[in-house]
Amino acid sequence: MASADKIVYLEKTQGGQSLKASMGKYGAQAEACGSLMVQAIEPLVHNLFSQADDDLYRLAENSNSNTSQTLFFDAMRGLRLFQEKAERSYLRMLQNTFTSFWEGKSSVSFYETPSPTDDEEFSLVEKDELEEELAVTSMASKARDKYQRDLHALDQRFAHMLGKESIEGEENPAGPTALAQIFRVVLDDWDTEDVLARIVVYKCFEKAVLFNLGEVYESLNHYLADKGVLPELSQKRFVGAGRNRHSASAPAGNAGSPTPDSMLQHAEGAGSSPQEEPTPTLQELWQYVRQLAPQGELGGLGRAPGGAGNLHLPVLPKNNVMDALSNMQSVALSDLDLENVEWEAVQDRIRQQLSQTLCLDEEGKATHRFGDAEQQTIDMIMMLFDHVLDDASLPDAMRALIARLQIPILKAAIADASFVDDQNHPARSLLNELAAASVGWRDDGDRSEKSLYFHVKTAVDRIVHEYTDDMALFNEVREEFARFMEKRAKLKKILEERLTQAVTGEEKLEVAKQRVEVVLHELGVEYMPEAAREILERPWKKLMTILLLREGEEGENWIKALNIAKMMVKYLGRESGENDRRELLSSIPAMISGLKKGFSYISYDQKKTTSMLNKLQGCFISALKNGSAPVEPQPQPAEASDEQAEPVVEDEHSISVRNMKEGSWIRMQLDAEEDPLICKLVWRSKFTGTMVFVDGQGNKAGQMKETELAGYFRDGSATFLEDAQAPLIDRAIKKMMKVLNARIVGPKLQIG
């Protein structure tokens, strides 16, 4: 059957009866609600495809490989071809779902899992499928929380029209769960296998449709109130509308048996970090340098030749200084060799160039000296860049580009005194933003126009070749770079969301599998005949895992599946000989019927279903004739482990790793021949201790346990980048102050 003709529902018993709307009293209103909903949703659905087209194009343009770019462009073209059919299908299915609801059937629930083609067990729950499941249930839950008051009133009115006391939120055909699940069924006909492209479209559905339902729900409630359907709800607060809800993606479990979601809640970090001392301003550092310079305390820290010791020489006019610096800035560091760069030598070279260009004649004799203000500015900027170029957060290729800004920044500081105390100075802002964009960047050799390297280089080149004395150029370049970074930030957010969603899904699946295994073990499945044990340990185990993920241990379908497993163990397990023969005989039809429904729910192979149930019936016949003989438990094969459990070491490193917050940056050097890896923590599990890191582009950079990372800190392979997100100049100032204090305080302590 075509998807457009589907009515997506999960069968539920209704006390043996099908409730129908009282068509004589509310028939017209029921029909009008469906029509109003379809009319309101139609433009929203159309808009979501336009947004998805834009987002897929942006992903393709910013892809890091030709393969990814091709996938996104193919997905975009396929979505354009699919759009018209999808819009028609969605609206038709929405109308069908309303009709089904008024006929007493349950509304949209969970989409059926595609039938497997092989004989594997839990690989049947594919990661991509689970990722889509989580995306759908999560966005539906958020929308229901957003509109809970209007939805609560609508639930009550719809229940009243059906002659029921209440309906579950998921049953409401106008609710976010129904709308999201219909869209998932429709999207199943879209010919693309790239899960990221599908997640992008789901996100657009969330923004364009689910987050624009407020007026739709208000209109439906006003219409029904005007037609006499519980009009008093409009005159009072909705009872229960504000109580806590459990989302579809995170149902509550009982207190004794936590669900995967409750087990995976992130614990709040205990304690608070010590308050850091404020970063000295550049003005404060400037004053500190001016106090020390006359005392000769700076030594070789930053003084350029042409200053002290040449006081008899004429002062080089400021304009001459600016002209000479302009001649230097286009050639300084233009021939830098990144393969064997020594930054200390590079800085000495620039100091020599400054001296030769500004104060020495062709024979190397001093002819001029700097004025005090210019001398101290040069001292400070040179010292500043000494530490900028030593910053551990900067990748080498980006460090080389930023180094070329040294002369233009020096010019800007000499030309504009506000550079010293204005943290928002255009030159300072540009330098900080270029450095911030570089944190976590991995040099993959891409120098194309869509790469970060290209845009940083373009910004540097413009300053180096175009800056004379107009500070507006720094703002112009910064704004141009910011537009590129805005697009990049959107892509990065999508990648990080997709990654965290995927690892969360994997974690929830693993927790659910472990919980189901515990439940079956506690029931004593290993003592059952082989045919019965095969059912519970294979298809039924899969069914229970899916239901636990979707509903939790309080879910109606989970309880039904668990009860069937208990019944099978009761009549075929180790204590089955004590059962009444007539009780067993009367229970067999219910067990067989329940098993068939469960197999159908997971679309289990029909031939395998028939074979398994025939063998199970043989077990029942044997039990009826002779009773069930105890079965020796089958030994479980030991699972091979790639890594031996290591003893947990409790020290400052393990404590530091355990207290890491999401957003923390670290630097790891795991291979001496590879570039250091600078990455950010984006997700962690308090259940398993797994930590996931991304690079500056939002791509996955690593996944490891807390104990493994603590080991890297212990052997020095990893270090924290505590100030990675602080402005580059602030980081450099902190280092400068430490060096200055060490140079001044150290000798005095030794003398004393």
Side-chain angles (χ1 to χ4, degrees):
M1 184 184 300
S3 64
D5 298 322
K6 291 180 183 176
I7 302 172
V8 187
Y9 64 92
L10 177 63
E11 182 180 358
K12 294 183 182 178
T13 57
Q14 301 283 358
Q17 300 181 21
S18 287
L19 294 167
K20 295 182 179 291
S22 177
M23 304 307 290
K25 187 174 183 181
Y26 293 122
Q29 289 78 12
E31 184 176 352
C33 284
S35 299
L36 288 172
M37 192 69 188
V38 170
Q39 291 173 14
I41 288 293
E42 183 175 6
L44 301 181
V45 172
H46 182 78
N47 186 45
L48 90 87
F49 283 101
S50 298
Q51 290 189 23
D53 189 86
D54 292 341
D55 286 353
L56 289 172
Y57 180 80
R58 189 183 301 113
L59 281 168
E61 282 291 288
N62 292 280
S63 295
N64 294 322
S65 68
N66 291 333
T67 302
S68 297
Q69 187 176 64
T70 300
L71 281 173
F72 288 128
F73 275 134
D74 287 347
M76 183 179 69
R77 285 189 287 267
L79 191 65
R80 289 175 179 175
L81 296 174
F82 177 60
Q83 178 176 351
E84 184 177 351
K85 174 187 175 183
E87 291 182 18
R88 290 199 309 268
S89 298
Y90 188 88
L91 297 177
R92 191 178 308 171
M93 289 181 65
L94 178 59
Q95 186 66 66
N96 289 346
T97 303
F98 264 89
T99 302
S100 172
F101 174 77
W102 295 123
E103 290 176 353
K105 298 177 183 176
S106 293
S107 185
V108 174
S109 187
F110 295 103
Y111 177 48
E112 290 185 344
T113 306
S115 179
T117 56
D118 49 29
D119 205 25
E120 78 271 40
E121 293 187 27
F122 281 101
S123 60
L124 293 170
V125 186
E126 297 291 347
K127 293 180 181 178
D128 287 355
E129 177 196 336
L130 179 61
E131 194 169 343
E132 288 194 51
E133 175 75 41
L134 291 172
V136 171
T137 54
S138 174
M139 65 185 183
S141 174
K142 286 189 286 185
R144 185 152 189 94
D145 287 342
K146 181 179 176 70
Y147 302 115
Q148 58 177 317
R149 171 168 289 194
D150 287 333
L151 280 169
H152 184 72
L154 201 59
D155 289 346
Q156 288 183 290
R157 288 189 166 105
F158 280 6
H160 179 76
M161 293 166 69
L162 282 170
K164 299 173 64 176
E165 291 186 3
S166 64
I167 61 171
E168 294 293 330
E170 291 181 2
E171 293 182 80
N172 190 331
T177 300
L179 300 178
Q181 293 291 354
I182 292 173
F183 188 67
R184 185 176 182 187
V185 176
V186 170
L187 207 62
D188 189 52
D189 288 337
W190 178 30
D191 186 20
T192 183
E193 297 179 357
D194 185 74
V195 67
L196 177 55
R198 301 178 74 86
I199 295 299
V200 169
V201 177
Y202 282 126
K203 288 290 183 183
C204 292
F205 180 83
E206 179 181 29
K207 292 184 291 185
V209 179
L210 296 187
F211 282 4
N212 286 287
L213 294 173
E215 293 184 3
V216 179
Y217 293 147
E218 287 182 13
S219 298
L220 287 173
N221 275 311
H222 285 312
Y223 169 77
L224 292 176
D226 290 344
K227 296 299 181 181
V229 182
L230 301 183
E232 65 274 12
L233 290 180
S234 302
Q235 306 299 324
K236 65 180 181 180
R237 294 180 63 86
F238 303 129
V239 180
R243 68 179 65 155
N244 293 332
R245 296 180 177 270
H246 297 287
S247 69
S249 62
N254 57 47
S257 302
T259 65
D261 279 319
S262 65
M263 296 174 74
L264 292 172
Q265 290 294 320
H266 285 191
E268 293 291 334
S272 58
S273 58
Q275 185 174 359
E276 295 184 358
E277 294 184 5
T279 303
T281 66
L282 203 53
Q283 175 66 39
E284 293 170 339
L285 182 64
W286 180 284
Q287 293 172 352
Y288 195 32
V289 170
R290 294 185 68 177
Q291 291 172 4
L292 296 178
Q295 304 170 21
E297 300 284 7
L298 283 173
L301 276 177
R303 178 159 293 280
N310 295 313
L311 296 179
H312 64 284
L313 296 175
V315 173
L316 189 67
K318 181 177 179 180
N319 289 341
N320 291 24
V321 174
M322 296 295 288
D323 291 341
L325 290 175
S326 296
N327 293 331
M328 279 187 64
Q329 73 180 31
S330 61
V331 296
L333 304 183
S334 59
D335 58 346
L336 192 63
D337 179 13
L338 277 181
E339 295 298 324
N340 301 292
V341 62
E342 292 287 345
W343 289 107
E344 186 173 344
V346 167
Q347 290 300 93
D348 288 341
R349 174 183 166 189
I350 290 183
R351 287 183 172 91
Q352 291 173 4
Q353 289 178 336
L354 281 171
S355 176
Q356 292 169 359
T357 303
L358 300 177
C359 299
L360 303 181
D361 60 18
E362 294 179 356
E363 297 178 358
K365 295 180 180 180
T367 58
H368 294 83
R369 65 182 177 88
F370 298 126
D372 289 344
E374 288 79 19
Q375 177 67 65
Q376 291 176 4
T377 301
I378 293 172
D379 285 341
M380 187 205 48
I381 297 300
M382 292 301 298
M383 290 170 61
L384 182 70
F385 269 85
D386 285 345
H387 296 283
V388 163
L389 299 179
D390 190 46
D391 194 288
S393 302
L394 292 179
D396 287 342
M398 295 299 186
R399 194 190 319 272
L401 290 177
I402 289 174
R404 295 178 59 206
L405 290 175
Q406 190 162 186
I407 300 302
I409 293 291
L410 176 56
K411 281 177 57 180
I414 292 175
D416 184 0
S418 68
F419 181 93
V420 175
D421 52 15
D422 183 4
Q423 293 186 343
N424 296 317
H425 188 279
R428 292 180 63 168
S429 297
L430 177 62
L431 181 60
N432 284 333
E433 291 183 24
L434 293 177
S438 303
V439 175
W441 175 77
R442 287 197 278 183
D443 192 354
D444 56 3
D446 185 7
R447 301 294 188 263
S448 66
E449 292 184 5
K450 64 182 181 182
S451 70
L452 175 63
Y453 182 90
F454 174 85
H455 286 271
V456 173
K457 185 176 184 299
T458 299
V460 171
D461 284 344
R462 285 202 61 192
I463 296 298
V464 167
H465 296 295
E466 297 179 27
Y467 173 60
T468 53
D469 56 4
D470 186 5
M471 292 294 173
L473 179 64
F474 285 97
N475 271 331
E476 181 183 330
V477 172
R478 185 182 61 81
E479 290 171 0
E480 182 179 342
F481 184 72
R483 286 193 290 271
F484 165 75
M485 289 304 298
E486 183 180 4
K487 296 178 182 178
R488 186 178 173 85
K490 291 179 180 178
L491 173 63
K492 180 181 176 181
K493 183 179 180 182
I494 292 173
L495 292 175
E496 288 188 7
E497 286 180 350
R498 188 247 174 149
L499 175 60
T500 55
Q501 192 171 50
V503 293
T504 300
E506 293 173 10
E507 190 91 349
K508 288 182 178 180
L509 175 59
E510 184 60 32
V511 173
K513 286 166 57 178
Q514 292 178 11
R515 176 59 187 156
V516 171
E517 288 173 358
V518 169
V519 168
L520 293 178
H521 176 72
E522 290 175 348
L523 290 177
V525 171
E526 60 269 27
Y527 293 95
M528 300 177 69
E530 182 179 354
R533 190 174 65 251
E534 183 183 14
I535 289 176
L536 292 183
E537 291 183 344
R538 293 175 68 83
W540 211 251
K541 185 178 182 180
K542 175 195 172 182
L543 172 69
M544 292 178 70
T545 301
I546 294 175
L547 293 176
L548 183 59
L549 281 168
R550 292 174 173 172
E551 302 182 2
E553 295 193 41
E554 293 182 348
E556 180 180 354
N557 289 295
W558 161 266
I559 294 172
K560 289 179 181 179
L562 179 60
N563 287 339
I564 289 174
K566 288 180 177 179
M567 290 174 66
M568 290 178 63
V569 172
K570 176 181 178 181
Y571 294 118
L572 298 176
R574 54 185 166 184
E575 299 178 0
S576 56
E578 303 175 3
N579 294 311
D580 184 277
R581 183 176 181 279
R582 286 176 297 178
E583 183 181 347
L584 168 59
L585 189 63
S586 64
S587 299
I588 290 175
M591 284 188 281
I592 296 296
S593 174
L595 289 170
K596 286 181 177 179
K597 289 181 179 179
F599 290 165
S600 174
Y601 185 87
I602 59 173
S603 300
Y604 199 64
D605 184 84
Q606 187 61 45
K607 292 182 179 179
K608 292 180 181 179
T609 297
T610 302
S611 174
M612 283 186 166
L613 292 180
N614 286 340
K615 292 177 182 178
L616 180 64
Q617 287 180 350
C619 295
F620 286 139
I621 292 172
S622 176
L624 288 169
K625 288 182 178 180
N626 310 313
S628 293
V631 177
E632 289 297 322
Q634 298 295 315
Q636 297 296 319
E639 294 186 2
S641 177
D642 294 334
E643 45 186 53
Q644 298 294 328
E646 297 182 2
V648 177
V649 179
E650 186 70 10
D651 57 12
E652 69 272 17
H653 302 294
S654 59
I655 294 173
S656 295
V657 169
R658 193 161 56 245
N659 290 335
M660 279 181 68
K661 304 296 183 184
E662 291 180 9
S664 300
W665 286 85
I666 61 173
R667 185 179 190 268
M668 293 192 293
Q669 182 78 60
L670 305 183
D671 188 337
E673 297 182 359
E674 298 289 336
D675 291 335
L677 177 62
I678 296 174
C679 51
K680 178 181 70 172
L681 176 65
V682 292
W683 183 89
R684 75 187 304 161
S685 166
K686 290 298 181 183
F687 176 67
T688 64
T690 300
M691 310 176 78
V692 177
F693 295 85
V694 298
D695 60 19
Q697 289 107 309
N699 297 313
K700 185 176 181 180
Q703 180 171 330
M704 64 193 74
K705 300 289 187 181
E706 291 178 355
T707 52
E708 183 181 1
L709 181 59
Y712 291 142
F713 278 100
R714 201 170 288 118
D715 64 22
S717 301
T719 55
F720 284 106
L721 296 177
E722 298 178 356
D723 296 328
Q725 292 303 293
L728 177 64
I729 290 181
D730 287 359
R731 299 201 299 267
I733 289 174
K734 283 186 176 181
K735 292 180 183 178
M736 291 168 67
M737 292 299 294
K738 288 181 180 178
V739 172
L740 287 170
N741 287 329
R743 290 291 183 97
I744 302 306
V745 176
K748 292 181 179 179
L749 290 177
Q750 293 176 9
I751 292 172

